[in-house]
C-alpha cells in the first residue's frame, strides 16, 4: 500500500444543526471554558483504568474541542499542540471529532497503522500512537456532545473489555451531565 498524503485526516463535515443543538445542550448543562474538577477526577480514573498517559472528557463546542476533564501522568493538566499548552484543540486535531461524527467508539491500537489517521497533527506534534474514545450522547436529544478518550505515545492493543469500559465511563459522564442540568450536582 502506498501512502497518499492527500488522504490525510481532515475534520469531519460540520453538521450545523447538530452543532447548534450540541452547544445549546452543553450550555444548559453548565459546560463552558473552564475545567470541571469532577470531570478531571473521572479522567484520572479512566487513565488509571487503561494505563494510558492521558485521559480526557472532551466537548465539541464553539467550533473547537474543549477538555473539561483532563488527566496526565506527566504533570500539569494540559495537552500541548506545539506552541500552546492548554485544554483545547482545533477540530482538525486529534480523533475525537470523528467519534462525535460517527457516534460510536473508536479504538485505534496504533494510529500509524491507519493512513487516514496517521497524518493527524497530534501524531507529529505530540507523538500520539494510540487512541480509544467513546461518544457522550445527550439522553434528551441523542446528539453527541463530545467524548471520553485516552491517548498514549506507545501503541496499546485495546481489548473488547477496554471498549466496554470506556463506554461505561461515557455513561457515567452522561449521567453526571444530566444531574448538573437538573441542579442535583
Amino acid at each position: 500500500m502506498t501512502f497518499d498524503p492527500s488522504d490525510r485526516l481532515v475534520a469531519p463535515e460540520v453538521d450545523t444543526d447538530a452543532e447548534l443543538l450540541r452547544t445549546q445542550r452543553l450550555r444548559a448543562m453548565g459546560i463552558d471554558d473552564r475545567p470541571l474538577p469532577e470531570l478531571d477526577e473521572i479522567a484520572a480514573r479512566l487513565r488509571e483504568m487503561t494505563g494510558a498517559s492521558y485521559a480526557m472528557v472532551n466537548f465539541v463546542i464553539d467550533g473547537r474541542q474543549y477538555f473539561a476533564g483532563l488527566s496526565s501522568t506527566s504533570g500539569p493538566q494540559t495537552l500541548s499542540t506545539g506552541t500552546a499548552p492548554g485544554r483545547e484543540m482545533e477540530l482538525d486535531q486529534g480523533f475525537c471529532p470523528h467519534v462525535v461524527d460517527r457516534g460510536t467508539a473508536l479504538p485505534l491500537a496504533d494510529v500509524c497503522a491507519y493512513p487516514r489517521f496517521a497524518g493527524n497533527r497530534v501524531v507529529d506534534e505530540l507523538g500520539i500512537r494510540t487512541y480509544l474514545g467513546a461518544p457522550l450522547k445527550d439522553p434528551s436529544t441523542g446528539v453527541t456532545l463530545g467524548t471520553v478518550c485516552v491517548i498514549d505515545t506507545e501503541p496499546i492493543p485495546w481489548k473488547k473489555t477496554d471498549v466496554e469500559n470506556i463506554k461505561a465511563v461515557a455513561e457515567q459522564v452522561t449521567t453526571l451531565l444530566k444531574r448538573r442540568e437538573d441542579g442535583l450536582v
Side-chain angles (χ1 to χ4, degrees):
M1 174 175 14
T2 305
F3 177 70
D4 178 2
S6 67
D7 194 29
R8 293 180 70 114
L9 180 69
V10 294
E13 290 285 325
V14 175
D15 178 340
T16 53
D17 292 337
E19 183 178 32
L20 179 61
L21 181 56
R22 179 174 29 256
T23 299
Q24 289 171 344
R25 294 299 297 138
L26 288 169
R27 297 283 186 243
M29 295 172 181
I31 304 298
D32 54 21
D33 292 354
R34 61 189 162 84
L36 297 172
E38 61 267 38
L39 296 181
D40 281 342
E41 290 171 16
I42 289 172
R45 287 195 312 270
L46 180 59
R47 183 182 51 76
E48 291 169 9
M49 180 187 321
T50 61
S53 296
Y54 293 92
M56 288 83 64
V57 178
N58 180 20
F59 298 106
V60 174
I61 188 168
D62 297 330
R64 68 191 177 10
Q65 302 176 72
Y66 182 74
F67 306 116
L70 178 60
S71 178
S72 165
T73 58
S74 63
Q77 304 297 14
T78 59
L79 283 175
S80 177
T81 56
T83 57
R87 284 185 176 253
E88 68 180 68
M89 285 186 169
E90 297 171 26
L91 289 177
D92 68 345
Q93 295 177 300
F95 313 102
C96 291
H98 292 274
V99 173
V100 170
D101 186 54
R102 292 164 37 121
T104 60
L106 178 62
L108 299 171
D110 184 350
V111 297
C112 293
Y114 303 88
R116 178 176 184 202
F117 295 111
N120 194 282
R121 288 176 39 196
V122 297
V123 174
D124 296 333
E125 295 178 14
L126 296 175
I128 300 307
R129 290 291 304 273
T130 195
Y131 173 88
L132 175 61
L136 295 170
K137 299 237 182 199
D138 178 14
S140 299
T141 65
V143 71
T144 302
L145 303 171
T147 67
V148 292
C149 67
V150 294
I151 57 175
D152 203 295
T153 57
E154 298 294 326
I156 298 175
W158 302 115
K159 299 175 182 79
K160 184 177 181 181
T161 56
D162 295 318
V163 175
E164 290 168 359
N165 288 339
I166 202 164
K167 287 179 179 180
V169 171
E171 286 293 323
Q172 292 171 3
V173 172
T174 301
T175 299
L176 176 68
L177 294 175
K178 182 67 177 143
R179 292 184 72 220
R180 282 178 61 86
E181 182 179 30
D182 294 342
L184 301 173
V185 175

